[in-house]
Amino acid sequence: MKEPSTPPADVTFDSLGLEAPLVEAIRALGYEEPTPIQQAALPPLLAGKDLLGIAATGTGKTAAFALPLLQHLTPGSRGPFTASALVLVPTRELAMQVAEAIHRYGQKLGVSVLPLYGGQVIGQQLRVLKRGVDVVVATPGRALDHLQRKTLKLEEVRTVVLDEADEMLDMGFAEDLEAILSATPEERQTALFSATLPPRIAAIAERHLREPVRVRIAREKVEPGELPRIRQTAYIVPRAFKVATLCRVLDVESPTAAIVFCRTRTEVDELTVSLNGRGWRAQALHGGMSQEQRDRVIKQLKSHTTDLLVATDVAARGLDIPRLSHVVNFDVPNAPEAYVHRIGRTGRAGREGVAITLVEPREHRLLRNLEKLTGQRIEMAAVPTVADLRARHLELTRASLREVLVAGGLDPFRSVVEDLAAEFDVMDVAAAAVKSLQESRDDGRGGDEEEIPVVAPPTEKRSRFEKPDRKGPAERPGKKAGFAERPGRAEHGPRRRAERPDWDITRLYIGAGRNAGMRPADLVGAIAGEAGLEASQIGAIQIADAFSLVEVPEPAADRIITALRQATLRGRKVPVRRDRG
Ligand code: AMP
């Protein structure tokens, strides 16, 4: 099997055979270089070959299959109820995510993409299908439904992708896959992606792929001693809470000099703005900057006029960056080697370095790959709570007061204390001074009281935010529309972090609160798990003694109320309704 390593700096999307409009689309998204799986998979897929790719979520596999699929398409050349390409995925979340990614890559080409999954209003799907679609991204259950109703015809399909094939098999979709594949033309191109290669996947590949090129992400072990002593910690956190988590972790860790790595240029720019808005002195470092600009920000880091650099791998490569107290991976890198390279920048002479990684629930598999690669443990930690943060701030205030006390030179200030002591208790005077110092310390970085949901490390199979949509009640056609079924969602383009959601918010009343042991995580878990929402779609949560309030997208409110009424929360059934204020 071909095992790609980190791409040399000169491997570009053009050099892999991608045509200009797609290269442009990728550049606009801020991708600076192809990931290893893209480097290995693009040439054979562009050449029309079948492919067996062993790669987990987070490696850039979606672009690896989506870009060739788009390059082979002639947008709009299809009849009613037909599709030119079919991507099968295990869950509705992935269907939405992959459809959105394909839409972003193919937007300029005028490509139409339709996600099909259980729980959507069938009428809307039918209207779109009737016009014909370039790319259908579907869960197997829903694809088969449409196939049997003859509302999806696969005779004209040129490309089929089986994404996360091992998950699809684990979820019992084997027969559905066989039925769907047999409805597609023999001469189609097929790509199969799977995080693992158990015999059942090998058997499917054997049956349905023609002389496939096999690629997988290399997992060459790092030699012992190659990495300095590094404390490696990971936080599993939904995407919507990443910036808040990062700020809280940085606050607790108080790095003296740190780099926060992102995957794309766009992320670097957005995160730099967010961090500055939250009181950090952060500078961007990416491939779109001139050498002079890059040298300048490195100098600023060295002279401590900036706290943080926010960088892409490409931009940081080859630069003389001083040893850092902390390296933060805002995203798990697409290439495992990049992780080793990034964290190797921390760990100063004799002192342990710190590497922090934020992991989205779907990407947990990548962590295990990294542990295998480095032979070192990555500790899973709970995101610091607001109380942890306050305790940490007080600790810092105490430490700086101690320094001032030791340094002396307090005489000019004694008269203030003496004046106040005539009126107040001396202890109160001192406490007021501490309070005022504490508040000025929090200034700019304060206000971070947002509750961040606690996400338990997902089980091997699937995170709790991902529900199979097969044969669930939501699969039945004609069900009331929920948020997830918002028509044309994929056509709205990427949802940007930090943007206000573009749907109305409804507040739900849940008749159990702190006295019943309710925590935000219980509500997030129940809503995500029982009603199939993504955690990022859940808004503010307030927990009072006897009840809780949670903001949810209005279009999904009825579905969530029904689901929560049937579920148990903290071990019991609880009343759930729209909040009447
Ligand atoms: P995937 O493994 O397909 O789920 O992709 C994981 C993430 O990596 C997504 O957020 C992509 O937008 C991002 N990504 C994919 N390819 C690249 C690339 N070449 N450079 C930077 N980011 C990428």
Side-chain angles (χ1 to χ4, degrees), residues 13 31-35 38 56-62 263-264 334:
F13 283 101
Y31 296 5
E32 296 194 325
E33 62 179 2
T35 67
Q38 290 162 2
T57 292
T59 53
K61 68 179 162 65
T62 312
R263 281 175 183 151
T264 68
N334 294 123

Side-chain angles (χ1 to χ4, degrees), residues 18 28 30 72 117 140 161 207 213 321 342 367 484 522 538 572:
L18 211 58
H72 292 149
Y117 47 85
V161 179
R207 256 199 320 282
V213 173
I321 295 173
R342 288 176 180 185
L367 276 187
D522 298 319
I538 302 169
R572 63 190 178 100

